[in-house]
Amino acid sequence: MQIKYIVSTLVALPRSSRACLHDHMRAPQLREVNAALGRREVLPAVKTAIQNVRVFDGYGIGKPQTIIIDGEYITDCDDNVKQTIDGGHRILIPGLIDSHSHVLSVEGLENMTSYGVTTIFNMACPDYQLCNSLKSNPGLASLFTTMISALGPSGGNTQLNPVLPGQQLQPGDDPDFLVDYSFGNGSNYFKIVGAPDGPTQDQQNELVDYVHSLGHFVVTHAPNSIPYTRAVSSRSDVLQHIPDDSVLPHYLFKSMKEHDLAATPTMEIFRRAYTVQPEIAKFLRGNNTGNGSYENVLDNVRRLRIAGVPILAGTDSVGSTIPIIYFPYGDSLHQELVNLVDIGMTPAEALRAATIVPAVIHRLSDRGAIRPGMRADLILLNSNPLVNISNTRDIARVWAGGVEYHNTAKLTKT
Ligand SMILES: *[C@@H]1O[C@H](CO)[C@@H](O)[C@H](O)[C@H]1NC(C)=O
Ligand SMILES: *[C@@H]1O[C@H](CO)[C@@H](O)[C@H](O)[C@H]1NC(C)=O
Ligand SMILES: *[C@@H]1O[C@H](CO)[C@@H](O)[C@H](O)[C@H]1NC(C)=O
Ligand SMILES: *[C@@H]1O[C@H](CO)[C@@H](O)[C@H](O)[C@H]1NC(C)=O
Ligand SMILES: *[C@@H]1O[C@H](CO)[C@@H](O)[C@H](O)[C@H]1NC(C)=O
């Protein structure tokens, strides 16, 4: 039951078939997560100076300098440095943020961290205790999570989601109890699952207003044109996915900009489904190809950018949680940066979409940039990502919250 929930929220394409997914899935368990956390050995952070590094400041790359790590944070105080590392004039970028993933295991956090992804927005959580255990662990990516989402009465995502008594929204229901439940159990933000038969426009508006009144933000799953349009009207803070069924009019994206909405288009799941992993498309929608296309995805993301809507890098990765559609953690975020450059972003802009932009939009004031006071979430690169965005894969070393991650992924620059 738990894993069905993951698959349903992975879905970014219209579906005509939902056969047998659960036969292939592994359910994560709280006791396994806690046992895996108990087995980890993390050396205490020592005050470290990384010398001779050229820092990416969001726009360009500076002259060689020294960055000092003290505990979890970067400091400008160079007293009592215990360890010195020669950066060899290599390039230091902030740890990357995957603004849309599904990580429910310690191995998933390890894999993300090994690729320098040090912050994860987890888009579904069937077990709040398990997700709370994964949130903040020394030397691993930090996880921010939603818990119970708002779902409509039938079809779409609803049939594959676990439904707690009274959870499934019928038209006319007051949806606020879902919000109380979700934040009462440690949710960092709230998620609405938009679908043609999902929560009604009135319910979405009510949910967004209520979550805002509590001082939190809302995201809305909206992979098709109808849910996208509704989500814009509701003023949901961050729209997840992007319609692949049609190209939306420019005025819709302008309206997003006017109302300070942001977008996490997760181009990578569409790219995989339409071009390299047809098994994903087949999973999500059986033999019905519908009217969807990757061209629609590209056109819509270009339109987001033209309108000036903040774009966040996210993947929808599920790792090996669903083995027959293996969708790797970490590596896929590096590919999303390539995808963003493909629609016209500069490499610096793509890097901002995975660092400072999601930090600001998701209200995390302690990350997304390299300067004193920020978390020491860092990636040391051998080659310059502004010359070629694929160079983000050319990783020399990674730090998560000041702790060096020693099992860094060995990547090829393709
Ligand atoms: C947290 O979740 C439990 C179910 O696991 C539920 O009974 C409880 O009401 C929730 N807490 C809040 C404050 O909503
Ligand atoms: C999809 O097509 C294959 C043959 O290409 C067929 O064996 C299968 O039954 C079809 N599935 C559905 C759900 O129609
Ligand atoms: C495809 O688009 C056509 C024309 O807009 C529409 O009539 C049809 O229902 C669509 N098919 C699907 C599967 O969405
Ligand atoms: C983590 O990465 C390893 C090596 O690529 C892979 O075999 C494993 O399935 C991944 N685990 C998860 C949970 O994705
Ligand atoms: C960037 O690097 C990749 C991998 O080495 C290569 O395939 C691609 O052609 C390069 N792009 C540019 C613009 O040089």
Side-chain angles (χ1 to χ4, degrees), residues 387-391 413-414:
V387 170
N388 185 330
I389 193 65
S390 296
N391 291 339
K413 286 194 281 168
T414 53

Side-chain angles (χ1 to χ4, degrees), residues 66-283:
T66 299
I67 294 295
I68 300 166
I69 300 173
D70 189 9
E72 286 176 56
Y73 295 93
I74 297 167
T75 179
D76 54 6
C77 161
D78 60 5
D79 291 355
N80 297 318
V81 167
K82 297 278 188 288
Q83 177 181 225
T84 301
I85 290 170
D86 180 11
H89 289 201
R90 285 191 289 253
I91 290 163
L92 201 62
I93 64 170
L96 301 175
I97 300 174
D98 188 334
S99 290
H100 188 126
S101 184
H102 296 274
V103 176
L104 292 169
S105 64
V106 177
E107 187 180 290
L109 294 178
E110 297 264 359
N111 284 5
M112 283 286 205
T113 315
S114 75
Y115 286 89
V117 180
T118 50
T119 303
I120 300 158
F121 281 81
N122 183 50
M123 285 289 148
C125 178
D127 175 343
Y128 68 88
Q129 288 176 303
L130 181 147
C131 294
N132 286 335
S133 287
L134 292 174
K135 277 181 180 172
S136 178
N137 293 285
L140 285 180
S142 16
L143 183 117
F144 295 85
T145 191
T146 181
M147 301 249 167
I148 300 302
S149 308
L151 303 163
S154 65
N157 279 272
T158 313
Q159 290 187 4
L160 285 169
N161 278 279
V163 177
L164 299 172
Q167 181 201 343
Q168 210 166 325
L169 289 178
Q170 303 296 326
D173 283 353
D174 180 349
D176 290 353
F177 72 98
L178 291 173
V179 175
D180 292 331
Y181 182 102
S182 195
F183 289 110
N185 281 302
S187 211
N188 298 104
Y189 58 95
F190 192 75
K191 182 177 177 189
I192 297 170
V193 178
D197 56 0
T200 62
Q201 184 74 63
D202 283 349
Q203 286 171 329
Q204 294 191 39
N205 298 350
E206 169 61 27
L207 284 163
V208 171
D209 287 348
Y210 185 48
V211 173
H212 285 172
S213 77
L214 300 176
H216 293 292
F217 69 88
V218 191
V219 307
T220 303
H221 165 99
N224 311 109
S225 41
I226 293 171
Y228 213 83
T229 306
R230 284 187 191 157
V232 173
S233 298
S234 78
R235 313 283 184 251
S236 173
D237 298 273
V238 194
L239 278 66
Q240 306 296 319
H241 312 301
I242 190 82
D244 65 346
D245 56 342
S246 66
V247 178
L248 295 175
H250 284 290
Y251 67 77
L252 190 85
F253 298 112
K254 279 190 193 149
S255 165
M256 289 178 71
K257 171 68 179 171
E258 278 159 21
H259 293 98
D260 290 326
L261 311 187
T264 306
T266 67
M267 294 169 71
E268 182 57 6
I269 188 173
F270 295 104
R271 190 192 67 88
R272 283 174 177 265
Y274 284 114
T275 70
V276 289
Q277 261 181 295
E279 65 272 25
I280 292 184
K282 186 122 179 156
F283 249 1

